[in-house]
Amino acid sequence: MSIFKVASFNVNSVKTRLPILERWLGEDPVDVLCLQETKVQDPDFPVSAFRDLGYHVVFRGMKSYNGVAVASREEPDEVAFGFGDGEEPDDGPRVARVRFGDLTVLNTYVPQGKALDHPDFAYKLRFFERVLALLERHCREADPVLWTGDLNVAPTDRDVTHPENKRDHVCFHRDVQRAFRDVLSWGLEDVYRKHRPGDGEFSFWDYRVRDSLARNIGWRIDHLLASPPLAERSVDAYAVRELRAQERPSDHTAVVGVFRR
């Protein structure tokens, strides 16, 4: 069976995480890699490192914050950054839409939100609305579509340690969960949960929590969400937990979706 792999990884600085990326992709390459929080201006993006690994890479970034990139074995047929909806901010460093043949991959870094009474939380809720509108403008449910990235939402109690303590967290509050479900209602399936339905499945372990990885105190906020034709072709999904245990890691790890071609 011929397969292809799509991965999402919030690297929390692509330059800092290059040694981890080089080791991982050298040992277990994926076909498409979506990165978030690259934290680098475009002229300084490490293009040559990805080329040396055999990847074409497109990116949009800024100094010290945000930034998205898509590295791929094949050159994409279409690339767009931002929402393109005329609303400000356009969020180019948070949104990349890339098409390979009939497959569309939407890579987003959703705002964290800061606090429920902070303007950034309203901005976050509006961000989800704009993602839904973007899907409605550019994609069809009948086409293979993957929405992925650091979406900064844990959708259910299974997706976070000690959910009873986090009801008012900006990544777990009912309003952000509802906004997330509204986007899924366009016609997207959580293919990670399709293959990993159990407890303790996380993609983020906070630096500030002592031994969070060893104790598995985490969040599942990095997602793989597929339209029906693509979800039907999914054969596996997993988190590459060992990347979080390496020297100078991101606080996230990569999540990988495996699909039949």
Side-chain angles (χ1 to χ4, degrees):
M1 178 179 62
S2 177
I3 63 170
F4 71 96
K5 296 181 180 180
V6 182
S8 175
F9 191 6
N10 179 324
V11 286
N12 196 8
S13 172
V14 66
K15 290 177 130 180
T16 302
R17 257 33 99 185
L18 264 181
I20 290 175
L21 288 167
E22 289 168 338
R23 284 193 295 270
W24 172 46
L25 295 173
E27 295 169 0
D28 187 20
V30 299
D31 297 284
V32 178
L33 173 60
C34 297
L35 301 176
Q36 306 86 40
E37 272 202 287
T38 54
K39 294 184 175 180
V40 63
Q41 298 177 93
D42 289 352
D44 300 321
F45 192 94
V47 175
S48 61
F50 285 90
R51 286 181 180 160
D52 290 346
L53 289 164
Y55 287 92
H56 178 90
V57 61
V58 295
F59 45 87
R60 178 69 58 83
M62 58 192 294
K63 186 177 181 180
S64 303
Y65 299 97
N66 304 331
V68 288
V70 179
S72 56
R73 292 296 196 185
E74 300 177 5
E75 187 171 351
D77 296 299
E78 182 182 359
V79 178
F81 293 97
F83 285 109
D85 56 5
E87 184 175 325
E88 293 295 334
D90 189 53
D91 279 317
R94 287 187 179 271
V95 179
R97 178 170 51 87
V98 182
R99 183 175 59 81
F100 304 91
D102 63 350
L103 171 66
T104 295
V105 177
L106 179 62
N107 174 24
T108 63
Y109 174 44
V110 174
Q112 195 262 358
K114 294 183 180 175
L116 296 181
D117 59 354
H118 193 282
D120 276 13
F121 187 67
Y123 165 45
K124 178 177 186 174
L125 298 180
R126 177 60 186 153
F127 193 98
F128 282 111
E129 293 175 349
R130 295 172 76 188
V131 169
L132 176 56
L134 184 153
L135 290 169
E136 290 173 339
R137 284 196 308 274
H138 294 288
C139 304
R140 300 183 308 162
E141 189 180 340
D143 296 331
V145 177
L146 184 72
W147 178 30
T148 190
D150 175 3
L151 308 189
N152 266 317
V153 56
T156 72
D157 284 7
R158 282 184 304 165
D159 298 313
V160 64
T161 309
H162 304 307
E164 65 278 3
N165 299 332
K166 297 178 173 66
R167 301 295 178 197
D168 289 331
H169 193 285
V170 291
C171 295
F172 196 63
H173 190 268
R174 61 184 179 275
D175 289 347
V176 75
Q177 291 176 333
R178 185 182 304 114
F180 175 75
R181 289 195 302 270
D182 286 347
V183 184
L184 297 194
S185 70
W186 176 81
L188 295 169
E189 180 179 347
D190 186 340
V191 293
Y192 190 94
R193 278 301 183 199
K194 174 182 176 181
H195 299 285
R196 307 284 168 176
D199 296 333
E201 292 283 348
F202 303 129
S203 62
F204 167 83
W205 296 266
D206 197 329
Y207 291 138
R208 298 167 296 182
V209 176
R210 181 177 57 86
D211 296 329
S212 60
L213 182 66
R215 297 159 66 199
N216 203 28
I217 299 175
W219 296 69
R220 189 177 74 98
I221 56 177
D222 304 88
H223 297 281
L224 300 160
L225 307 157
S227 63
L230 187 61
E232 191 275 330
R233 290 158 51 191
S234 72
V235 296
D236 197 9
Y238 55 91
V240 192
R241 184 186 174 97
E242 57 267 28
L243 300 183
R244 179 63 175 81
Q246 294 190 18
E247 185 177 355
R248 299 189 73 196
S250 171
D251 42 4
H252 296 248
T253 196
V255 292
V256 181
V258 184
F259 303 89
R260 295 192 308 273
R261 286 194 181 271

